[in-house]
Amino acid sequence: MKQNFYFLILTFCFSIQAYTQERFTLSGNITDASSNETLIGVNILIPSLNTGVVTNEYGFYSLKVPEGTYEIVISYLGYQTITETLNISGQTNLNFQLNESSEFLDEVVISQRSDGLNIKKPEMSVNRLSINTIQKMPVIFGEVDVIKSLLLLPGVSNAGEGSSGFNVRGGAVDQNLILLDEATIYNSSHLFGFFSVFNPDAIKDLKLYKGGIPAKFGGRVSSVLDIYQRDGNSREFKMQGGIGAISSRLLAEGPIVKDKGSFLIGGRSSYAHLFLKLTDNDNSAYFYDLNTKLSYNIDDKNKLLFSGYFGRDVFSLSRNFKNTYGNAVLNLRWNHIFSDNIFSNLSVIYSDYYYGLTLGFVGFNWDSGIKNLNLKYDFDHYLNDTFQLKYGFQNTYYDFNPGEIEPIDETSGINYFKLTKKYALESALYFSAEHNISENLSAEYGLRYSSFFRLGKDELSIYENDSPLIYNEDRDIYEEAEPLGTETYESGKTISSFGNFEPRLSVAYSFNENQSVKASYNRMAQYLHLISNTSSPTPLDVWTPSGPFIEPQLLDQYAFGYFRNFKNGTYSLEAETFYKKVKNRIDYVNGANLIANNNIERVILNGKSRAYGLEILFRKNEGKFTGWLAYTLSKAEQKTPGRTPVETGINGGDWYNSNYDKTHDLTLTASYEASKKWQFNANFSFQTGLPSTFPTAQYSYENITVPVYSQRNSNRLPSYHRLDLSANLNPKNSSDKDFKSSWSFGIYNVYNRKNAYSISFRENSDTGVNEAIRLSLFGIIPSVTYNFSF
């Protein structure tokens, strides 16, 4: 017994000595060997010390190790692994360059956890989708689509074909924070949801947080989609692009100063509308966008990056109707390394979402949008090999334009009218820690404090008893209250303010190198609201800030998961359960008018929502046949009770299915590499139909038929299912090794399923019998795309 006790004491002392002996910092950057592009999420491991780290968003890493000689392993999906022996005797700065591996590039992998290090990390409810995977997936019209690819992941869905955005774990589209090089994207879709705004050729890294969201992110309560653009090749000039049936793209990149500075510029445009002009058809629908990036290394410790995006959609019917909308963002960033273990990034970001509408037959133009200017400063502080801090602050100023009507000419009879502009300031401070508590236990915890100020200049209506909505007990309906007057706030004056602490916690316990359990909790606050009563947002929807009558949304989410690798990572299983609840979710009274409404508070009530479910992702990561099976079983509900015991609220104050509720969501993705020339891919999707509200009866009043509807969202559209196939051909290229080309052939909706986009009801004019009419958007659609690079 004494011998065992002495042995434990000696072991403990040796451990303390090993930890307290002098440690040195090993730091540097990891880049692509051919382009000098920084790489995000590269694993740097020292097996003998059982420690490691991953590169941050700018390719930087820092690791503290004791003096000695060690074997270091650098690994990254799609690149050859480097194993080197290093002698550490002082502070060491070491940069690594990785070479692409054709063997790995042909794999279809969602690289969320590709090795044992990630099994042990407390990160959960996070998916990282490689661009190589996205480019192989069969998609509609042959246009590679980042957003549509996300729908193949568990917990992610949308409102059906032709719908904008995406829904995560029962959340609404406006509850997703979408970032492109840290800049907010307010509308992620082109042509009302048929395409996404992201050019896949310009994207370097993509990460979707569904839960366990780090403290550095805030402002939305459902998810964070964090996308980084490529910096550009700083060694040689390159071009790549693709020609499809509906659209084409072209990207150019090259050095400004070799190995120090680079540029990237890429553009896309659709051109199907040009064929309409050949038939003397005045209707038109097209989009175009432009991505740009400038990068310059001032010295070893300073780097400047400038990035931008501009996109527009144009939809017109003859000369009587024209709709123009899109995003524009600019971002200037300064990377500075204070020391071997402190990395910082200062960003100044401008985002602008514009919506314009011309109604020639009425005679006016309509403009609306939202702009914001954001200043943020983030720090990565590597204290030692078991403890890393991240902290920073951000300030965002918002300028909301709810709408402006301007007559086309003096003969239109339309008077100029402008809804009151709104202004707000959102600020946040945060810190988080990544802590390897023991060999088996690790945690990531942090705290974010956010504040929001609704600012003047503004003019707000005053209501009796401060109630803009009146409940009519006799008719059992809500009615708009008449304002008693208005109160004017001067420019810069605070109208209302909010503040919230947002704790975050994720914990992982690993049983061994191949399996672990994880749990997470996060609270988040959202101060912006999208005014929309459709399941899929439209460009006409407007953003509005929290204020006197609109409370910020508050989320509490809990998740628990089990993760396992099989056969050295050939197979992997991820299973998660989650429960989330949101306070102050806006709901709309029946018959609410949301368009050009200067007093939106007169048609809304604050309710709450909840969602819970099970997500399973089973993957095959290696071999000629790869892919994954994703399944989600979930429930998403909303409840808006009355403000008093007399009021019925919405839907009688009972829980009802949210617009995004889907009980079952199953996707199967497969890829087969038949040879070096041919690769075949398939996607199958099955989803429970979206909630809807159908009429159950009718009555006649003064020869007018009036339908009687069921409870809100108590019915459903038919189940949705679809099979897509694609084949990629990589022919032997010419003797010019610099020129490469490939062909992508695809069939969308192979068995021509007529999935319901909506169901409407009408009376048959011949028989007088009521009938349901199903609207379907797409049947079978073949596509072909030619891709090239040189």
Side-chain angles (χ1 to χ4, degrees), residues 247-401:
S247 65
S248 292
R249 64 190 193 279
L250 184 65
L251 181 141
E253 57 183 321
I256 299 174
V257 177
K258 189 171 183 179
D259 288 334
K260 286 182 67 71
S262 62
F263 75 89
L264 179 145
I265 183 168
R268 293 188 304 167
S269 179
S270 63
Y271 38 71
H273 64 289
L274 299 177
F275 299 107
L276 295 177
K277 296 182 182 298
L278 299 177
T279 62
D280 295 326
N281 191 324
D282 291 335
N283 300 333
S284 181
Y286 63 92
F287 74 87
Y288 58 90
D289 55 34
L290 178 70
N291 297 76
T292 186
K293 186 82 167 278
L294 300 175
S295 173
Y296 187 77
N297 293 308
I298 300 173
D299 53 38
D300 291 339
K301 294 184 179 296
N302 295 279
K303 182 177 182 179
L304 288 177
L305 301 106
F306 175 82
S307 58
Y309 168 85
F310 181 84
R312 281 294 182 265
D313 285 74
V314 179
F315 175 68
S316 63
L317 297 175
S318 187
R319 297 182 179 180
N320 295 318
F321 176 90
K322 186 176 182 180
N323 181 201
T324 304
Y325 65 93
N327 302 276
V329 300
L330 295 172
N331 185 0
L332 178 63
R333 285 170 289 171
W334 171 43
N335 293 171
H336 176 66
I337 300 174
F338 283 96
S339 67
D340 291 335
N341 59 353
I342 300 180
F343 178 94
S344 70
N345 176 66
L346 175 66
S347 299
V348 180
I349 307 166
Y350 172 79
S351 295
D352 179 9
Y353 174 66
Y354 166 79
Y355 175 83
L357 184 66
T358 298
L359 296 178
F361 59 93
V362 180
F364 71 84
N365 294 319
W366 165 273
D367 292 330
S368 67
I370 177 175
K371 301 175 183 178
N372 73 259
L373 183 64
N374 183 8
L375 173 68
K376 62 192 296 285
Y377 207 0
D378 303 298
F379 295 83
D380 291 352
H381 194 164
Y382 303 84
L383 293 176
N384 55 52
D385 58 325
T386 64
F387 199 79
Q388 177 185 344
L389 284 177
K390 294 187 177 183
Y391 45 87
F393 70 87
Q394 67 179 56
N395 286 284
T396 306
Y397 179 77
Y398 296 99
D399 180 341
F400 301 85
N401 177 16

Side-chain angles (χ1 to χ4, degrees), residues 337-638:
I337 300 174
F338 283 96
S339 67
D340 291 335
N341 59 353
I342 300 180
F343 178 94
S344 70
N345 176 66
L346 175 66
S347 299
V348 180
I349 307 166
Y350 172 79
S351 295
D352 179 9
Y353 174 66
Y354 166 79
Y355 175 83
L357 184 66
T358 298
L359 296 178
F361 59 93
V362 180
F364 71 84
N365 294 319
W366 165 273
D367 292 330
S368 67
I370 177 175
K371 301 175 183 178
N372 73 259
L373 183 64
N374 183 8
L375 173 68
K376 62 192 296 285
Y377 207 0
D378 303 298
F379 295 83
D380 291 352
H381 194 164
Y382 303 84
L383 293 176
N384 55 52
D385 58 325
T386 64
F387 199 79
Q388 177 185 344
L389 284 177
K390 294 187 177 183
Y391 45 87
F393 70 87
Q394 67 179 56
N395 286 284
T396 306
Y397 179 77
Y398 296 99
D399 180 341
F400 301 85
N401 177 16
E404 182 179 359
I405 295 177
E406 186 176 4
I408 294 177
D409 53 52
E410 296 179 354
T411 63
S412 65
I414 302 294
N415 296 323
Y416 175 82
F417 175 71
K418 184 176 182 178
L419 298 176
T420 305
K421 295 189 73 174
K422 299 176 176 64
Y423 306 92
L425 176 67
E426 182 175 357
S427 302
L429 293 168
Y430 77 90
F431 85 90
S432 64
E434 293 183 17
H435 190 182
N436 294 325
I437 301 171
S438 69
E439 183 178 346
N440 301 99
L441 182 64
S442 61
E444 181 175 350
Y445 46 87
L447 181 66
R448 180 185 182 92
Y449 180 76
S450 61
S451 57
F452 189 84
F453 302 90
R454 174 78 176 274
L455 304 174
K457 186 176 182 180
D458 206 343
E459 187 177 86
L460 300 181
S461 297
I462 302 172
Y463 303 95
E464 184 178 356
N465 299 322
D466 207 27
S467 178
L469 198 61
I470 298 174
Y471 177 69
N472 188 322
E473 187 176 354
D474 295 331
R475 300 178 60 191
D476 190 24
I477 62 172
Y478 285 93
E479 298 175 338
E480 299 182 24
E482 288 298 325
L484 301 177
T486 59
E487 183 175 0
T488 301
Y489 294 85
E490 295 301 321
S491 178
K493 185 177 181 180
T494 300
I495 300 171
S496 55
S497 61
F498 308 91
N500 288 283
F501 287 99
E502 305 175 31
R504 316 288 171 87
L505 173 66
S506 297
V507 180
Y509 181 82
S510 58
F511 300 102
N512 50 47
E513 295 296 320
N514 292 312
Q515 58 179 327
S516 65
V517 291
K518 302 184 182 184
S520 69
Y521 164 77
N522 60 274
R523 163 165 276 229
M524 303 186 75
Q526 178 170 337
Y527 301 99
L528 305 188
H529 311 263
L530 185 65
I531 303 303
S532 171
N533 59 0
T534 60
S535 57
S536 174
T538 69
L540 190 57
D541 301 332
V542 296
W543 291 85
T544 194
S546 297
F549 302 105
I550 302 178
E551 298 287 326
Q553 300 177 66
L554 298 176
L555 162 85
D556 290 287
Q557 180 173 212
Y558 310 84
F560 179 81
Y562 173 74
F563 306 86
R564 182 166 185 174
N565 287 328
F566 301 90
K567 295 187 176 180
N568 295 322
T570 301
Y571 301 91
S572 61
L573 172 67
E574 305 167 22
E576 293 189 28
T577 61
F578 68 91
Y579 176 81
K580 57 192 288 189
K581 56 181 180 179
V582 177
K583 298 179 182 179
N584 303 323
R585 179 62 183 163
I586 285 180
D587 208 344
Y588 306 95
V589 300
N590 293 328
N593 176 28
L594 305 182
I595 299 177
N597 190 338
N598 213 15
N599 299 100
I600 200 69
E601 67 272 7
R602 294 196 285 175
V603 294
I604 64 173
L605 289 170
N606 284 323
K608 56 185 177 181
S609 64
R610 67 184 181 189
Y612 48 91
L614 168 69
E615 298 172 356
I616 297 175
L617 179 62
F618 180 76
R619 299 176 290 156
K620 185 176 185 297
N621 301 317
E622 299 177 4
K624 289 193 171 185
F625 179 80
T626 56
W628 68 86
L629 174 69
Y631 173 69
T632 305
L633 174 67
S634 64
K635 186 70 175 176
E637 298 175 302
Q638 192 158 332

